Amino acid sequence: MEPDKKEFDWFDHPESRKLLWRVLIGACIVSVLLEVSLFFDDGHGRHGHFGDHSVDGWFGFYAVLGFVACALMIYGAKFLGKFLKKDEDYYGDPEETTLPEDIDESIR
Amino acid sequence: MNPFAEFPPALILLLGALLVPFLKGNWKSVYVIALPALTLLYILQLDSSEGWKFNVFSFTDEAVDFLRVDKLSKAFGIIFSLNAVIAFVFAFYVKNSTQHVAALVYIGSAIGTVFAGDLVSVYVFWEGMAISSTFVILSRKTEKAKAAGFRYIMVHLLGGLFLLAGIVITVANQGGSIAFNGFDFATEQHAGTWLILIGILVNAGAPPLSAWLPDSYPEASVTGGLILSAYTTKTAVYTLLRGYPGWEPLIWIGCAMSVYGIIYALLENDMRRILAYSIINQVGFMVCAAGIGSPEAISGATAHAFCHIIYKSLLWMSAGAVLYRIGKSKCTDLGGLYKTMPLTLIFGTIGALAISAVPGTSGFTSKTIIIHAAEYSDQAGIFWAWLILEAASAGVFLHAGIKFPYFVFFNKDQGHRPKEAPGSMLIAMFILSFLCIFFGIYPQPLYDLLPYAVDYNAYTWSHIITQMQLLMLSALVFFLFLPMLKRTATISLDFDWFYRKALPPLGRGLDKTLNGTNAAVSRGFTSGVIAPIVNFFESGASRFVAWILTPFWMSLGYSAEKIDAKQQSLFKRAKRGAFPIGITAFFAVILLGLLSLIFLLEK
């Protein structure tokens, strides 16, 4: 990289990260608020697919599901990781000393 | 009217592969692109089929059919050959004949399985796929690839044995018929169909028979992994859709796969291994659809397989481009690549959004058909299956949609400043990105290929909102919990632990006990007891004769050497049982005389 050429590093700046955070939180809020628009059709909003009052018809169900499911999976993975994570040489695999042929010649 | 004589489309690749070693340089690369392109054109114009049949068995009049053309086989045939074309564009720089031949035979066998019309032809191509794919892995020629390839073929040979055993029993139960149509869950459950199912599930990557996939694919080369990612698992999905629609246990096996894939992808550090686990997660949706078994579910699984192959190849390509330029594939070694590989990032992100079923991508128009089919099923417990699939959809965004691009292209800058991916790779990624968005916006051409007509519109206002809620909140969780997701330089134990860690000591233990017992018995009984007995019966009689005859010879005045020679000759003859007839007759007479004497004395 020539020193005079300015590198594109927008994502490294703290203010960019702050902006992205705001966009993300905004998108979450908007996606939930937009569900209100579904009440304009018939005044009832969404219907569940599993009977008249099934839980998936509740307001904001998918937002809650997304949040809870992902949080649970992360906690679940973290917990299982305590037992399952091992050092990389656990199986005693042979370490390659040279890069194989499928890698770019210029860095081999 | 069909301008060609009808033959199985697999033949183009299988026979064409034989010429690859004779071509040089770019001609070779062009040739391996042209073969699947020709296959694609040929499959597109196949409409009905007279079949391509051989009478090989004496027990049945049924012919083995290598060409069954219907919408299901055609849809898989089209995407298999289309994906191959673009994968070989990506692999334009590869001049390794071994890998190309193995890949062509592998893809040809996968296409052969899809168009196979009965259990026997399915089996033939199934094994062809197992063997050729092993060579795709081995062609990277690293020690790790060799070890992983060995484990891979062992698992697949085992799976093939399940399949074969199942086929034999099923053929017997079908009164000698080798037909392979849908098995009925209510009436056709027996050892045969279950064994076939186990054989298929090995290839589908269903736990606990799943570890071969993340163990071996990431050890294949940059392009080998890309090619492997599409075929074995999707051929298994095809055979499930063909043979096992409505088998309810598949709903729960599919749900387990989708969650298992996410949990392991979250734990994983190697980017290609993340993508490997994500295959299992995605195939889980398709297996679940086979379990639901309604026409909409079958069509949904076909659409999902079609789009999945495209965006999963795209993801493997972007990971492959990074690996090609840097030579590293662990998240802990990567990061900050958006600065110098922006196009790879953009294409990879399109694949990541598509796998997450973001509206506007092909995942949104295909995977959601399966979820829609679950909503309209009346099978027991379907609500919970539906809930797991929706939760897994959120988890896909977590592990593949955000985690993969974030840790590879953003996160901490590790100081890598690689060049952008080579032109051929960018072209391939562009084409697949285009397809991801094209089928996301205008899915009708895809829907027209599906086995059953679908009356489904993904773009209802309600569906867009709920999907965005699901995904945005998943993204929020990812960044909120980022410290917990920090990558560590570790591997995660999977079911392969049982044959990599537990079995070898068990094997050594068995070796010690069984071979030790064997050796002890050999020392104590075989050489201590049996040997003297054998020795006695072998040479006892001749020694006895020599003992009697030696004084006789000595009395005749023979020299010591002559007596010794006589004794040796006697032993040798006794061992071979070859005495001159005169001597045998002489002894026989003596024996008879003795017997008569005893007889007379008894009286």
Side-chain angles (χ1 to χ4, degrees):
Chain A
M1 188 63 47
E2 306 88 64
D4 55 328
K5 196 175 163 190
K6 183 81 181 75
E7 196 173 63
F8 174 73
D9 58 356
W10 187 81
F11 289 95
D12 287 0
H13 301 306
E15 56 270 35
S16 318
R17 294 190 174 214
K18 198 177 266 179
L19 176 68
L20 289 171
W21 261 112
R22 285 186 182 150
V23 169
L24 175 60
I25 292 170
C28 290
I29 295 169
V30 167
S31 69
V32 177
L33 287 182
L34 275 178
E35 200 179 327
V36 176
S37 69
L38 298 175
F39 285 88
F40 299 149
D41 291 345
D42 58 358
H44 294 294
R46 289 185 304 107
H47 296 281
H49 298 287
F50 303 92
D52 286 341
H53 299 289
S54 74
V55 65
D56 59 305
W58 294 1
F59 185 86
F61 171 79
Y62 287 85
V64 174
L65 177 66
F67 191 92
V68 172
C70 288
L72 280 179
M73 280 187 269
I74 289 176
Y75 274 112
K78 188 88 186 164
F79 174 74
L80 288 174
K82 285 187 170 71
F83 309 100
L84 298 176
K85 276 192 175 184
K86 297 284 173 201
D87 282 342
E88 283 172 330
D89 58 357
Y90 177 78
Y91 285 117
D93 285 333
E95 239 358 275
E96 311 294 338
T97 46
T98 52
L99 285 169
E101 282 172 23
D102 56 323
I103 307 298
D104 192 354
E105 276 178 317
S106 62
I107 64 160
R108 260 189 273 145
Chain B
M1 185 59 206
N2 188 346
F4 302 96
E6 292 204 335
F7 59 91
L11 286 186
I12 300 175
L13 296 181
L14 295 178
L15 297 177
L18 298 175
L19 287 179
V20 171
F22 301 106
L23 294 165
K24 295 255 177 292
N26 286 349
W27 285 110
K28 187 188 301 218
S29 303
V30 171
Y31 178 71
V32 295
I33 296 170
L35 282 180
L38 193 64
T39 310
L40 175 62
L41 292 177
Y42 175 62
I43 291 173
L44 282 172
Q45 59 81 48
L46 281 175
D47 41 15
S48 62
S49 112
E50 291 298 305
W52 204 69
K53 299 175 177 177
F54 290 104
N55 279 302
V56 279
F57 294 118
S58 52
F59 64 82
T60 171
D61 289 338
E62 262 184 307
V64 179
D65 183 4
F66 288 93
L67 184 63
R68 163 163 54 189
V69 182
D70 58 13
K71 291 199 94 173
L72 184 61
S73 57
K74 236 182 121 171
F76 276 85
I78 289 169
I79 188 57
F80 279 9
S81 45
L82 175 67
N83 183 66
V85 175
I86 303 163
F88 280 118
V89 171
F90 183 88
F92 200 86
Y93 77 102
V94 177
K95 310 296 180 205
N96 176 345
S97 288
T98 319
Q99 184 178 317
H100 279 323
V101 172
L104 287 170
V105 173
Y106 170 52
I107 297 167
S109 305
I111 292 175
T113 312
V114 161
F115 285 100
D118 53 57
L119 291 169
V120 173
S121 47
V122 163
Y123 179 75
V124 169
F125 286 117
W126 195 270
E127 292 294 354
M129 218 165 44
I131 293 162
S132 50
S133 56
T134 308
F135 283 96
V136 176
I137 298 167
L138 293 178
S139 65
R140 199 183 198 197
K141 296 181 199 148
T142 60
E143 290 305 314
K144 278 187 171 182
K146 283 177 200 162
F150 176 72
R151 293 191 292 271
Y152 175 90
I153 190 68
M154 294 309 275
V155 173
H156 282 277
L157 290 179
L158 179 71
L161 287 177
F162 277 117
L163 186 66
L164 181 61
I167 288 173
V168 170
I169 298 172
T170 304
V171 169
N173 278 339
Q174 291 178 347
S177 162
I178 55 173
F180 179 48
N181 301 309
F183 297 121
D184 187 61
F185 184 58
T187 59
E188 289 185 277
Q189 277 196 60
H190 51 72
T193 47
W194 277 102
L195 284 171
I196 294 176
L197 185 60
I198 293 172
I200 296 172
L201 287 174
V202 169
N203 274 23
L209 309 166
S210 53
W212 60 268
L213 197 164
D215 180 29
S216 62
Y217 286 4
E219 300 305 340
S221 70
V222 166
T223 50
L226 161 68
I227 288 166
L228 290 165
S229 75
Y231 297 100
T232 303
T233 47
K234 260 60 78 184
T235 312
V237 168
Y238 164 83
T239 40
L240 288 179
L241 296 180
R242 171 74 71 190
Y244 291 86
W247 280 56
E248 281 183 26
L250 290 177
I251 295 177
W252 305 105
I253 293 170
C255 285
M257 288 172 74
S258 66
V259 175
Y260 159 88
I262 293 170
I263 299 283
Y264 270 90
L266 285 173
L267 288 169
E268 194 48 64
N269 184 32
D270 184 301
M271 64 174 170
R272 293 206 295 168
R273 210 154 259 145
I274 293 174
L275 296 181
Y277 278 115
S278 142
I279 294 175
I280 298 176
N281 155 275
Q282 292 284 298
V283 171
F285 283 82
M286 302 170 209
V287 170
C288 190
I292 295 169
S294 63
E296 189 185 28
I298 300 299
S299 280
T302 310
H304 188 205
F306 198 99
C307 294
H308 163 85
I309 288 176
I310 295 171
Y311 55 66
K312 184 40 66 73
S313 285
L314 180 53
L315 287 166
W316 276 88
M317 284 180 183
S318 65
V322 168
L323 177 62
Y324 175 75
R325 283 301 195 205
I326 299 183
K328 293 179 193 303
S329 65
K330 287 169 188 154
C331 290
T332 40
D333 297 331
L334 298 169
L337 300 182
Y338 74 91
K339 292 167 188 170
T340 56
M341 298 185 85
L343 292 174
T344 307
L345 160 69
I346 291 169
F347 295 140
T349 305
I350 291 173
L353 295 177
I355 198 173
S356 314
V358 171
T361 64
S362 57
F364 185 64
T365 51
S366 60
K367 185 171 75 181
T368 53
I369 304 176
I370 297 176
I371 290 172
H372 192 253
E375 288 163 1
Y376 285 87
S377 160
D378 53 6
Q379 283 150 310
I382 195 70
F383 170 75
W384 296 105
W386 173 86
L387 193 67
I388 292 171
L389 290 188
E390 284 285 15
S393 301
V396 173
F397 197 37
L398 204 63
H399 81 271
I402 310 178
K403 178 180 168 174
F404 166 69
Y406 179 80
F407 282 107
V408 173
F409 294 99
F410 298 103
N411 198 24
K412 190 163 158 276
D413 189 339
Q414 304 273 12
H416 297 299
R417 291 296 181 270
K419 279 192 286 189
E420 182 57 272
S424 64
M425 293 189 180
L426 290 176
I427 293 170
M429 287 193 277
F430 172 80
I431 298 171
L432 292 184
S433 302
F434 171 80
L435 290 175
C436 282
I437 294 171
F438 177 79
F439 288 126
I441 295 171
Y442 182 56
Q444 200 53 47
L446 170 64
Y447 292 172
D448 290 340
L449 291 176
L450 302 180
Y452 302 100
V454 286
D455 178 25
Y456 175 71
N457 173 21
Y459 287 99
T460 62
W461 181 228
S462 161
H463 188 210
I464 295 171
I465 290 173
T466 52
Q467 186 73 1
M468 287 314 289
Q469 282 184 5
L470 191 74
L471 296 177
M472 285 302 119
L473 270 292
S474 308
L476 184 67
V477 170
F478 179 86
F479 288 105
L480 281 178
F481 288 68
L482 199 52
M484 280 181 74
L485 291 165
K486 201 164 169 295
R487 295 297 77 225
T488 50
T490 51
I491 58 155
S492 305
L493 299 186
D494 199 339
F495 290 98
D496 56 349
W497 181 85
F498 290 98
Y499 51 82
R500 297 182 73 180
K501 271 285 171 184
L503 265 190
L506 184 68
R508 282 194 291 275
L510 285 177
D511 171 49
K512 281 242 163 64
T513 6
L514 294 182
N515 285 336
T517 313
N518 201 2
V521 168
S522 165
R523 273 193 308 276
F525 187 70
T526 315
S527 27
V529 179
I530 307 280
I533 295 175
V534 168
N535 197 30
F536 174 75
F537 282 106
E538 197 177 60
S539 57
S542 55
R543 277 177 198 285
F544 179 71
V545 173
W547 182 64
I548 291 177
L549 283 182
T550 308
F552 175 69
W553 286 330
M554 281 163 82
S555 71
L556 285 176
Y558 288 174
S559 68
E561 289 85 48
K562 187 157 184 191
I563 292 173
D564 194 49
K566 284 232 167 224
Q567 282 181 344
Q568 290 309 321
S569 143
L570 185 69
F571 294 148
K572 216 183 260 174
R573 281 182 168 174
K575 221 169 218 167
R576 277 181 287 160
F579 288 103
I581 290 179
I583 295 179
T584 315
F586 174 72
F587 278 115
V589 169
I590 289 179
L591 190 66
L592 276 175
L594 279 172
L595 283 174
S596 335
L597 201 62
I598 292 167
F599 183 72
L600 286 173
L601 287 174
E602 286 266 300
K603 271 240 156 136

